[in-house]
């Protein structure tokens, strides 16, 4: 009988000894651009990642998706009874606006205990932790107590457009007992978290067409229709000022927290002043239970962008010929993106307007949910606590969106997300960063999880 905590403590000196090597590996990966939306450097980054995995003892291959390739790896032993599927993405967001970066986004730089560069937190600095953990354990023990598989995609930043079909096609290859993702920021400074699901996403664009050109607002006022005003009125018919959505069928399927989940939410620590500061607000007037219920169990309806008319300096007296609005909806567990999109189409089609209205589905991702009581979930929670030497915040769902439904709905396995990045990583923004201590903690957490899921208590 082997105590996994003892084995973990024995591996810590080797992790500390290899800190510089691990950092150099991350820097090499960060220097390679991999902007999926622009098809810039993605294949080169996949090749680089493949070589890094191979060097760490992982059997690796590039696999076609119809878009950017998946980097798949595995390390299997028929004597092991548990398999972990590590998921991550090697593509990154564009770095613009470049003038707001304090250093080159693709030349990683350390300042004040943080690594700055595009992809540091999202997601290269987190996915590489799994690889370095496996390499360290192999160097020390020659084998792992669990089977590990790696699914690293190159299209997460463009909506994981081919991931579901890839998983459907390769169900046998991806067969595992649990999916484990390191992505996103921790809940607070040095406060680890484990998330058991995520909200889904529906992102639509609604266009209004009035006249086929802009018109003089005096000469044609009250004559030419105003598409901007048409969209404002349409959106107001969709949602109240308090945020309650009025679209028929929008809330179909929404699940309320179970009694176990409701009690768990009440137990979570909440620091409104710190949370407000992270968001960029002066204050946040809500209880912890309200905060986590809103974040984990309620859908959102947000205007992500609105475009019409003249927005330059000074005045230009016109009635615009066209307008468009982008609507971002985060979906609660059990909501169906396609059904909601069809409800929006119906609502737009029934709206009385002098302008021609059209709606387009730009992105849709299903929500995902894993039960808190699952025994492997409980082991992950224990592993994180040992790695960080503090209990993690356990959230029933992530406020943001990821492709975790691929694991829960298509592969039929539980899925957990353990963010390794600092709470203020600024992912998708200029000066994206990952704390040095957070980077090393992440490698520790991957080691701890591998050992705990494979060895006895």
């Amino acid at each position: 009988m082997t105590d996994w905590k003892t084995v973990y403590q024995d591996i810590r000196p080797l992790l500390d000894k290899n800190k510089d090597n691990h950092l150099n590996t991350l820097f090499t990966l960060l220097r390679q651009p991999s902007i999926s939306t622009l098809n810039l450097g993605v294949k080169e980054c996949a090749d680089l990642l493949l070589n890094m995995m191979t060097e760490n003892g992982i059997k690796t291959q590039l696999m076609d998706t119809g878009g950017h390739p998946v980097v798949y790896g595995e390390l299997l032993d028929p004597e092991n009874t548990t398999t972990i599927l590590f998921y991550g993405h090697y593509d990154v967001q564009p770095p613009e606006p470049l003038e707001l970066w304090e250093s080159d986004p693709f030349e990683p730089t350390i300042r004040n205990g943080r690594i700055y560069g595009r992809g540091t937190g999202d997601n290269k600095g987190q996915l590489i932790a799994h690889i370095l953990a496996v390499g360290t354990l192999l160097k020390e023990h020659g084998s792992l107590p669990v089977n590990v598989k790696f699914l690293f995609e190159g299209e997460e930043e463009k909506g994981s457009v081919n991931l579901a079909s890839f998983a459907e096609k390769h169900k046998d290859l991806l067969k595992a007992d649990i999916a484990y993702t390191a992505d996103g920021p921790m809940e607070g400074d040095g406060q680890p978290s484990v998330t058991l699901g995520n909200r889904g996403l529906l992102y639509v664009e609604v266009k209004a067409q009035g006249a086929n050109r802009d018109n003089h607002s005096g000469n044609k006022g009250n004559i030419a229709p105003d598409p901007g005003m048409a969209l404002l009125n349409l959106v107001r018919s969709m949602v109240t000022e308090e945020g309650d959505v009025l679209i028929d069928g929008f809330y179909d399927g929404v699940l309320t927290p179970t009694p176990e989940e409701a009690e768990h939410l009440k137990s979570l620590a909440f620091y409104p002043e710190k949370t407000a500061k992270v968001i960029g607000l002066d204050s946040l007037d809500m209880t912890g239970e309200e905060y986590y219920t809103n974040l984990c169990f309620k859908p959102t309806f947000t205007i992500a962008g609105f475009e019409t008319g003249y927005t330059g300096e000074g005045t230009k007296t016109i009635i615009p010929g066209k307008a468009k609005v982008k609507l971002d909806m985060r979906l609660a567990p059990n909501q169906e993106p396609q059904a909601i999109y069809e409800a929006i189409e119906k609502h737009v089609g029934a709206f009385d307007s002098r302008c021609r209205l059209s709606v387009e589905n730009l992105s849709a991702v299903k929500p995902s949910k894993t039960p808190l009581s699952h025994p492997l979930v409980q082991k992950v929670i224990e592993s994180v606590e040992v790695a960080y030497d503090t209990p993690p915040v356990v959230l029933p769902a992530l406020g943001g969106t990821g492709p975790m439904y691929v694991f829960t709905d298509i592969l039929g396995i539980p899925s957990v997300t353990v963010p390794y990045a600092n709470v203020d990583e600024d992912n998708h923004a200029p000066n994206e960063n990952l704390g040095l201590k957070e980077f090393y903690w992440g490698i520790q957490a991957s080691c701890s999880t591998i050992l705990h899921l494979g060895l006895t208590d």
Side-chain angles (χ1 to χ4, degrees), residues 3-14 386-387 451:
D3 179 8
W4 72 274
K5 294 180 184 177
T6 300
V7 178
Y8 169 71
Q9 293 301 332
D10 289 343
I11 204 74
R12 286 291 305 277
L14 187 57
V386 168
L451 292 171

Side-chain angles (χ1 to χ4, degrees), residues 111-354:
R111 298 192 302 273
N112 303 318
R114 300 185 182 206
I115 312 159
Y116 287 85
R118 179 57 87 222
T120 49
D122 189 19
N123 179 241
K124 294 177 180 179
Q126 303 202 53
L127 73 81
I128 200 69
H130 310 316
I131 299 167
L132 298 174
V134 167
T136 301
L137 290 170
L138 287 176
K139 186 179 295 184
E140 182 72 3
H141 299 291
S143 63
L144 301 180
V146 295
N147 295 325
V148 293
K149 297 181 178 181
F150 300 87
L151 173 60
F152 296 147
E153 68 159 319
E155 297 182 322
E156 195 272 349
E157 298 294 3
K158 57 187 296 185
S160 299
V161 290
N162 289 293
L163 186 63
S165 59
F166 179 86
E168 288 278 8
K169 184 178 180 181
H170 298 286
K171 281 185 179 180
D172 289 341
L173 181 70
L174 300 175
K175 186 177 180 181
D177 296 291
I178 189 169
Y180 185 107
T181 301
D183 199 357
M186 292 190 284
E187 273 302 292
D189 186 15
Q191 176 61 67
S193 58
V194 177
T195 305
L196 309 180
N198 60 266
R199 288 193 290 198
L201 171 69
L202 178 62
Y203 196 105
V204 305
E205 181 177 87
V206 185
K207 292 181 179 179
Q209 180 68 54
N212 62 8
R213 64 180 69 92
D214 292 350
N215 277 282
H216 189 287
S217 63
N219 295 339
K220 299 298 185 292
N222 295 330
I223 306 300
D226 183 343
M229 194 66 70
L231 288 185
L232 287 174
N233 292 332
L234 172 66
V235 171
R236 180 50 64 222
S237 77
M238 291 177 161
V239 61
T240 68
E241 191 171 342
E242 292 75 26
D244 296 321
V245 180
L246 303 172
I247 299 167
D248 188 37
F250 182 85
Y251 291 105
D252 289 355
V254 173
L255 300 176
T256 57
T258 65
E260 178 191 29
E261 290 167 337
E263 284 301 313
H264 179 71
L265 292 181
K266 292 178 183 178
S267 71
L268 296 176
F270 178 60
Y271 306 99
E273 296 83 5
K274 290 182 179 179
T275 303
K277 184 177 181 181
V278 169
I279 297 171
L281 299 173
D282 293 331
S283 62
L284 193 60
D285 184 21
M286 62 177 62
T287 67
E289 185 178 1
E290 290 172 331
Y291 174 82
Y292 287 113
T293 300
N294 286 337
L295 196 64
C296 299
F297 289 100
K298 290 187 176 182
T300 70
F301 189 97
T302 305
I303 295 177
F306 193 103
E307 181 180 309
T308 187
Y310 177 72
T311 59
E313 296 296 324
T315 62
K316 184 179 182 183
T317 52
I318 59 166
I319 303 169
K322 58 185 178 180
K324 63 181 178 181
V325 61
K326 294 181 183 290
L327 301 175
D328 176 331
M329 287 150 279
R330 301 296 168 141
L331 308 182
N334 209 45
Q335 284 187 292
E336 284 290 337
Q338 181 60 30
I340 295 174
Y341 175 68
E342 291 172 3
I344 291 173
E345 278 190 313
K346 184 177 180 180
H347 186 98
V348 172
F351 186 76
D352 186 19
S353 175
R354 294 176 61 204

